[in-house]
Amino acid sequence: MPYLTECLDSLVAQTIGLDRLQVVAVDDGSTDASGAELDRYAARHPGAFTVIHQANSGGPARPFNRGLDAATGRYVFFLGADDHLGPDALRRLVEAADRWESDVVLGRVVGVNSRHIYQDIFASTRADVDLFDSPLPRSLANTKLFRRELLEKHAIRYREDLPIGSDLPFTLAACYHARRISVLADYDYYFAVRRHQATNITYLSRHADRLRTVEKTTAYVAELIPAGPRRDAVLARRFDHEIAKLLEDDLLLLDRDTQELIHAGVGQLVLTHLTEPIAAELNAETRIRLALTRDGSLDDLLAVIRQDAEVGVPPTVVEGDRSYAAYPGFRSPGGPPDACFEVTGVPDWSAKLDATALAWENDERGERVLTVTARSPHAGAAAVSAEEVPGDVTRIDGTTLRVRFRVADLLANTPATGRRRAVSAQPGAFDPAKAVGAATATGAAGAAVVRAPAVRTAKPLARRHGTGVYVITPVRDASGRLMISVVPLTVKRVAAQLRRALRR
């Protein structure tokens, strides 16, 4: 609550009609009157709702399985209680599945309240998508239409030993066994909401829990898919995202025992599953940190993270045709091998930047701009973007860049629900296909996220756009990367900010 009410309203309003829709709602020991709200909708719409009340299970897997066991339709669709659907979503999804005889159908998912959703899989509508030759491994959440016959035939259920991340093996198994997977990019089907308080179970999960989850899901991938390029295509996403996130800057804040646990656990994953083709898909920062879990000590890893978080991009050592990132520990007596720091031919390394200042200014035409001053130890970084929004780049001297983002451009390219964009740099002219969050992995694309290790963030800027008011805020994420958040100013957002202020 109150997200649940909007979720239920979006189901009642589905154009497919309640006579063709069974809503199975599982109240997993809620304490915020959600159970009563479900019962109220069931009484208001008799026959359309099946409400199951149970003690809290500690995660979504058991409630999803209970709901799936109660489902009777030809298709099932999983909807989080925080989220909601577009009015015509289920009709379009079912018609597409019937027309193309698809076992799995993805409808475009958009983020609300700056929730980041990878959009590369939704570049176009396609009747047939290959699991291993598309961006689908980046989008294995369960927010899809599944043919129930497929799930029953292969006994596909959520793993209840995974308090978080249980949708990954479920969705992967369904896509692996599906005769056809289809994508619909013609409509906003699913609205994934980021709570203002960010109290989702995944947001709050500890590093140790996340490590156990990624160990189990990685083992599941290896068990399901034989070794080779197809397995690598799925595991590349696990290393690029779930495993890499265990080695972000917040590792510095953990106690020593947990740091040791993460270092050893990730090191074993790297030793067992990180192949050369997977490593080639990773950005320089990720591959260096992963290498140090296998071939370096915990202190070697922490020194690299501390350099990125507090100092910035290190120098590059060039010897003949080989290049190395001169992080602390490089060529120290008894330290890690040079291979851990090698960046030869890694395209994103030459694009690495550190933001050193942020400011709201007026440009020469009197238009409002966000000015990012950045330091580059290389001459290669020439284009900077906030994903699909290119910045106006001026090189001040050999190591300093000035990048301006027009407020009008940030607003014009933002959906009504808002968006948070990663700021990234790439060598050469701006190519939207190579921007962070675009169609290919960050390292392979040659784009590097812009870090802001010690910069003071600028204040939020409010601007009217269309019929609403939006707040634009440059922020650092949990790993010190520079983001630009554009969100609609709503009553819910103001109320959430007031609650946080009162708590402080």
Side-chain angles (χ1 to χ4, degrees):
M1 297 293 287
Y3 302 92
L4 175 63
T5 301
E6 185 173 9
C7 170
L8 298 176
D9 284 342
S10 78
L11 293 175
V12 171
Q14 287 297 301
T15 58
I16 198 170
L18 285 179
D19 58 327
R20 296 185 62 195
L21 179 63
Q22 176 198 22
V23 180
V24 182
V26 181
D27 169 22
D28 191 47
S30 62
T31 58
D32 62 352
S34 291
E37 185 78 339
L38 293 175
D39 291 337
R40 186 170 71 87
Y41 273 77
R44 182 184 296 177
H45 306 282
F49 280 75
T50 301
V51 179
I52 300 171
H53 298 280
Q54 65 180 33
N56 181 258
S57 62
R62 188 173 300 170
F64 275 140
N65 285 338
R66 287 288 303 275
L68 189 52
D69 290 341
T72 60
R74 290 187 299 125
Y75 301 103
V76 294
F77 190 95
F78 297 95
L79 176 62
D82 294 347
D83 306 330
H84 55 275
L85 299 179
D88 207 25
L90 294 179
R91 183 191 68 80
R92 289 169 177 256
L93 289 164
V94 169
E95 287 185 358
D98 286 345
R99 179 169 65 253
W100 294 326
E101 297 184 345
S102 310
D103 284 334
V104 180
V105 183
L106 292 73
R108 183 170 65 212
V109 182
V110 296
V112 180
N113 297 334
S114 297
R115 182 165 175 180
H116 185 269
I117 304 295
Y118 286 100
Q119 293 297 312
D120 39 9
I121 190 64
F122 303 117
S124 62
T125 293
R126 297 174 60 185
D128 207 339
V129 173
D130 187 276
L131 170 62
F132 307 106
D133 189 24
S134 76
L136 183 55
R138 292 165 65 91
S139 302
L140 289 178
N142 64 345
T143 51
K144 301 166 176 57
L145 187 80
F146 299 91
R147 189 179 296 273
R148 194 165 65 87
E149 181 185 26
L150 169 79
L151 304 180
E152 299 303 330
K153 177 181 178 180
H154 296 282
I156 299 173
R157 289 295 188 271
Y158 293 85
R159 289 185 51 167
E160 297 186 10
D161 62 332
L162 293 176
I164 57 176
S166 60
D167 57 339
L168 188 149
F170 177 92
T171 307
L172 178 61
C175 291
Y176 184 74
H177 293 294
R179 295 169 300 171
R180 170 169 287 175
I181 306 167
S182 303
V183 174
L184 298 176
D186 58 336
Y187 182 74
D188 290 344
Y189 289 82
Y190 192 105
F191 294 88
V193 179
R194 181 178 182 271
R195 294 190 190 187
H196 294 299
Q197 299 89 347
T199 53
N200 179 283
I201 186 173
T202 304
Y203 297 142
L204 299 179
S205 298
R206 296 176 299 175
H207 277 69
D209 296 331
R210 288 159 51 200
L211 174 62
R212 284 191 290 268
T213 297
V214 79
E215 287 173 336
K216 290 179 180 179
T217 55
T218 303
Y220 178 81
V221 172
E223 179 183 345
L224 179 69
I225 306 171
R230 301 206 308 169
R231 181 195 288 179
D232 285 350
V234 175
L235 286 184
R237 170 60 178 154
R238 312 282 71 79
F239 277 100
D240 181 44
H241 187 65
E242 288 96 343
I243 298 174
K245 286 182 74 66
L246 290 168
L247 305 179
E248 290 190 337
D249 295 5
D250 55 359
L251 187 66
L252 297 173
L253 306 176
L254 305 181
D255 62 86
R256 184 74 180 187
D257 288 345
T258 304
Q259 291 174 339
E260 294 277 11
L261 176 70
I262 299 302
H263 180 266
V266 173
Q268 187 59 49
L269 290 170
V270 171
L271 183 64
T272 307
H273 299 292
L274 184 63
T275 64
E276 284 298 324
I278 293 175
E281 292 294 313
L282 303 175
N283 62 63
E285 181 178 300
T286 297
R287 67 170 74 185
I288 289 170
R289 294 186 183 193
L290 289 174
L292 289 172
T293 65
R294 179 189 59 201
D295 300 325
S297 68
L298 171 60
D299 288 329
D300 293 326
L301 173 63
L302 295 179
V304 166
I305 296 175
R306 192 170 290 110
Q307 168 81 25
D308 286 333
E310 300 173 3
V311 182
V313 183
T316 302
V317 174
V318 179
E319 296 180 344
D321 61 351
R322 317 308 294 174
S323 299
Y324 303 92
Y327 279 103
F330 174 62
R331 290 187 175 165
S332 61
D338 287 0
C340 290
F341 302 97
E342 184 163 1
V343 291
T344 306
V346 182
D348 77 289
W349 181 254
S350 64
K352 288 182 73 67
L353 294 173
D354 293 320
T356 57
L358 304 170
W360 296 109
E361 297 178 342
N362 292 327
D363 66 9
E364 294 78 6
R365 294 169 295 183
E367 296 190 41
R368 202 66 168 157
V369 296
L370 173 64
T371 298
V372 180
T373 304
R375 180 185 67 88
S376 170
H378 315 284
V384 183
S385 67
E387 296 186 18
E388 81 282 4
V389 180
D392 179 14
V393 179
T394 303
R395 186 170 289 276
I396 306 301
D397 56 39
T399 61
T400 306
L401 301 176
R402 184 190 68 193
V403 186
R404 284 176 166 176
F405 293 102
R406 296 173 65 244
V407 168
D409 292 340
L410 294 170
L411 290 171
N413 290 278
T414 297
T417 53
R419 186 170 177 182
R420 174 181 281 199
R421 297 180 178 86
V423 179
S424 64
Q426 56 185 266
F430 172 68
D431 182 349
K434 293 183 179 180
V436 170
T440 51
T442 303
V449 292
V450 174
R451 282 183 160 272
V455 70
R456 177 178 295 181
T457 57
K459 293 182 178 179
L461 178 72
R463 280 292 184 270
R464 178 170 292 279
H465 178 62
T467 59
V469 175
Y470 290 77
V471 178
I472 308 171
T473 312
V475 297
R476 288 191 303 267
D477 72 1
S479 195
R481 301 180 178 109
L482 181 61
M483 316 286 286
I484 300 178
S485 175
V486 184
V487 296
L489 188 63
T490 63
V491 173
K492 286 183 180 179
R493 179 167 291 277
V494 172
Q497 291 173 339
L498 287 174
R499 284 194 294 270
R500 285 196 293 270
L502 289 172
R503 284 198 294 270
R504 288 196 296 268

